[in-house]
Amino acid sequence: MKDDKRWILPTVLAVALVVVGVLGITQYEQKNDYKVMLNNQYQRMFYDMKDHVETVQTSLSKALLSDSKEQNILYLSQIWQQALYAQEKLSQLPVKHNNLSKTQKFLNQVGDYCYAMIQNELEDKPMTSEQREVLAELQNYTGLLSKELADIHNKVMKGNLNLNLVRRREDKKLEKANNDMLNTNLTNFEEGMSEYPELIYDGPFSDQVLNIKPKGLGDKEVNKNEAMEIAGKFIGDKKARKFTTFQEGDDVNKAANIPSYTFSVAMENEEKEPGLYISVSKVGGKVIWMANPRNVKDIKLSVDQGLKYAERFLKEKGYENMEVNYSVKYDGVALYNFAYKQGDVTIYPDLIKVKVALDNGEIVGFDASGYLVSHYDRDIPEPKLTQEEARDNVRFNFDIENVRLTIIPKSGKREVLCYEFKGKYNGSDFIVYINALTGAEEEILKVIKDENGTLMI
């Protein structure tokens, strides 16, 4: 009996060792599977961005050749939309955003310059030779960016670039990775942007607007720990497991002129790291943006259903009097644009973007940079024209469905009080903005509605 008992403990230990070994191997394999999955997700984002940039370059070449108003609007619309998508994908890649601020600004301005050209075409203002020269220069720079992306693509195909390694920034392999990583190639493009000209046009990302001092931050400065606490409260019931300083400084969020702290956040009950990224302003301690670059596959919600999640989220975060103006659906998410409403006046410069995953209604994107730059309690003047008087400055055969007062942004840091006339002309939806003080026609937007949402161009 004693001999039998002597074998019990070693046997138990041996079994335990085998179990621990099996669990260790299983966890190791699971960890590797998550790494592969995350790397594949980043690669998909990169490939999508590359395709969007190539489409921008192709459409720019077509717009330069076209001499038709209808075709110009078509090609310029494609450029505007694809540049928006490319910038969106770039913002989700594991690259230091302060290293790529010029690239992000370039993509924003390409889209917005073409957006301004669309407005000119709709107002029967033909493209000038100077504007075509700008488009030609934009095409040249887009060609350079396409080349850099093609070089990165070749490295990925050869297995010389692991985007998950770029994200993790492993110390032992960082020096070698830097020779191949995404930053290296796109930094070449950044250096080539030193001669990139300032664009003067009416658009939310024009240089004049970007240089505005933010009005909606307040005065209190916060340190990194306070910013981390603010970020944790904003994330809410998901509860952050680990915060890592992704980047900080005056160059962060330079496009919106808001110095900030940006954190990568690992979430509880989630294997992949980070779960999301979030940026908090140094002054005021406001959350500027949040992005969760997860993949959405099983779509269960409509755009209208997703809107309810976005509206509830804004109210929970203290953003009152926000109304949705248009939305876009892509890659399993819906992006909603909200404008602030002061009294009965819609304030378009005070813009917040909310992105909702259409599988479960999770908020996977938030951008309040426009709101934080522009928002303040305005002293709105009384209109000098009545609604009926303003109506006289709209085409007589424009079938008006809705009228409201709005404030729209214009070049030179101006804001203009307008009557917004929504309606139909020749079977298409348009919005006409008439200055409520002078009666001048300020803007005309065409509304495009389809199964993916509503766009205004």
Side-chain angles (χ1 to χ4, degrees):
M1 289 292 294
K2 289 183 179 179
D3 292 339
D4 291 341
K5 289 182 179 179
R6 279 199 298 266
W7 289 103
I8 293 176
L9 181 60
T11 301
V12 170
L13 290 175
V15 171
L17 184 62
V18 170
V19 171
V20 170
V22 171
L23 287 175
I25 293 172
T26 302
Q27 290 179 349
Y28 176 79
E29 291 177 346
Q30 286 179 341
K31 186 176 180 181
N32 281 339
D33 288 342
Y34 283 123
K35 288 178 183 178
V36 171
M37 181 181 68
L38 186 60
N39 189 58
N40 290 341
Q41 181 176 331
Y42 284 136
Q43 287 188 15
R44 182 181 61 82
M45 290 180 188
F46 168 74
Y47 294 144
D48 287 346
M49 181 185 70
K50 176 175 173 289
D51 288 341
H52 294 318
V53 171
E54 288 174 350
T55 302
V56 168
Q57 183 186 16
T58 301
S59 296
L60 277 167
S61 64
K62 292 180 179 179
L64 285 169
L65 183 62
S66 172
D67 199 30
S68 159
K69 173 182 175 180
E70 291 75 17
Q71 290 298 100
N72 280 342
I73 292 176
L74 173 62
Y75 296 137
L76 292 169
S77 299
Q78 290 174 350
I79 297 165
W80 172 57
Q81 186 180 57
Q82 294 298 313
L84 171 67
Y85 291 165
Q87 195 275 337
E88 176 78 12
K89 293 293 191 263
L90 177 62
S91 68
Q92 297 181 40
L93 288 173
V95 186
K96 286 189 175 182
H97 293 270
N98 56 334
N99 289 347
L100 301 177
S101 60
K102 291 180 182 177
T103 306
Q104 290 174 320
K105 178 180 176 181
F106 170 72
L107 289 171
N108 282 327
Q109 289 197 325
V110 167
D112 261 44
Y113 187 78
C114 291
Y115 180 92
M117 294 300 98
I118 293 171
Q119 308 309 308
N120 289 342
E121 293 287 352
L122 291 173
E123 295 170 7
D124 291 324
K125 298 177 182 177
M127 197 180 301
T128 66
S129 58
E130 290 80 8
Q131 290 167 342
R132 287 189 180 276
E133 288 176 4
V134 171
L135 288 180
E137 192 159 9
L138 292 178
Q139 191 208 13
N140 290 336
Y141 278 104
T142 307
L144 292 175
L145 179 56
S146 292
K147 182 180 182 302
E148 298 295 346
L149 293 176
D151 290 343
I152 297 172
H153 175 264
N154 291 335
K155 290 185 177 182
V156 172
M157 295 300 292
K158 292 177 182 178
N160 295 330
L161 177 61
N162 185 307
L163 293 175
N164 188 49
L165 177 62
V166 176
R167 179 190 65 79
R168 287 159 54 206
R169 291 173 170 77
E170 292 184 357
D171 294 336
K172 294 181 180 179
K173 299 180 181 179
L174 183 58
E175 184 175 354
K176 180 180 183 301
N178 275 337
N179 294 325
D180 301 316
M181 68 190 296
L182 200 59
N183 280 356
T184 304
N185 287 72
L186 290 184
T187 298
N188 293 337
F189 178 70
E190 289 273 311
E191 292 171 354
M193 293 291 289
S194 58
E195 302 300 322
Y196 174 59
E198 176 178 314
L199 301 182
I200 306 299
Y201 60 93
D202 290 341
F205 288 101
S206 66
D207 290 321
Q208 306 98 302
V209 175
L210 293 180
N211 293 326
I212 295 176
K213 182 179 179 180
K215 302 180 179 72
L217 295 177
D219 301 318
K220 181 184 176 182
E221 292 194 12
V222 299
N223 58 38
K224 187 191 298 184
N225 289 334
E226 290 171 328
M228 196 178 299
E229 183 178 349
I230 291 168
K233 289 181 179 178
F234 189 88
I235 294 169
D237 57 6
K238 286 189 172 183
K239 295 183 180 180
R241 173 165 54 88
K242 177 184 176 183
F243 277 85
T244 303
T245 303
F246 189 67
Q247 56 187 127
E248 65 177 276
D250 293 344
D251 287 335
V252 183
N253 294 302
K254 190 172 182 180
N257 200 24
I258 305 177
S260 65
Y261 304 97
T262 299
F263 305 102
S264 59
V265 186
M267 311 303 294
E268 286 187 354
N269 303 320
E270 289 190 15
E271 293 290 338
K272 72 182 181 72
E273 294 187 20
L276 55 82
Y277 297 91
I278 188 168
S279 186
V280 179
S281 66
K282 285 188 168 184
V283 176
K286 305 289 186 181
V287 174
I288 303 168
W289 59 267
M290 181 271 292
N292 181 354
R294 74 173 178 85
N295 194 20
V296 179
K297 292 183 178 179
D298 188 13
I299 298 177
K300 299 178 180 179
L301 302 174
S302 67
V303 173
D304 288 339
Q305 290 171 323
L307 174 59
K308 291 180 171 54
Y309 288 91
E311 291 173 331
R312 184 172 61 196
F313 173 80
L314 286 180
K315 288 182 179 179
E316 289 174 352
K317 301 309 176 187
Y319 289 98
E320 300 288 343
N321 304 319
M322 304 297 297
E323 62 177 7
V324 69
N325 283 280
Y326 65 94
S327 61
V328 180
K329 184 176 78 171
Y330 62 97
D331 292 344
V333 302
L335 176 65
Y336 304 93
N337 286 262
F338 291 85
Y340 177 69
K341 194 167 185 179
Q342 183 174 323
D344 62 348
V345 181
T346 299
I347 315 293
Y348 280 116
D350 296 4
L351 181 70
I352 295 179
K353 301 177 183 179
V354 180
K355 190 192 297 183
V356 178
L358 296 179
D359 54 358
N360 61 5
E362 181 185 9
I363 306 301
V364 293
F366 170 81
D367 183 356
S369 55
Y371 183 95
L372 295 173
V373 167
S374 301
H375 180 69
Y376 67 103
D377 189 14
R378 292 166 172 82
D379 183 14
I380 302 175
E382 288 293 325
K384 293 184 178 179
L385 277 71
T386 66
Q387 181 177 308
E388 291 72 22
E389 290 171 333
R391 172 67 179 89
D392 291 338
N393 294 321
V394 182
R395 285 185 65 97
F396 71 92
N397 54 347
F398 182 61
D399 184 15
I400 296 173
E401 299 172 346
N402 181 265
V403 184
R404 64 179 176 180
L405 278 172
T406 64
I407 287 180
I408 65 173
K410 298 291 286 184
S411 61
K413 305 179 184 180
R414 292 189 305 123
E415 293 183 346
V416 182
L417 179 67
C418 292
Y419 284 104
E420 177 187 79
F421 294 93
K422 289 185 178 180
K424 292 185 179 294
Y425 176 71
N426 282 346
S428 297
D429 293 304
F430 287 90
I431 304 176
V432 179
Y433 293 92
I434 301 297
N435 193 310
L437 303 179
T438 67
E441 182 184 277
E442 296 287 351
E443 293 279 358
I444 299 177
L445 301 180
K446 184 173 184 179
V447 182
I448 300 176
K449 299 179 181 178
D450 60 23
E451 68 278 5
N452 291 322
T454 304
L455 283 174
M456 293 184 287
I457 61 173

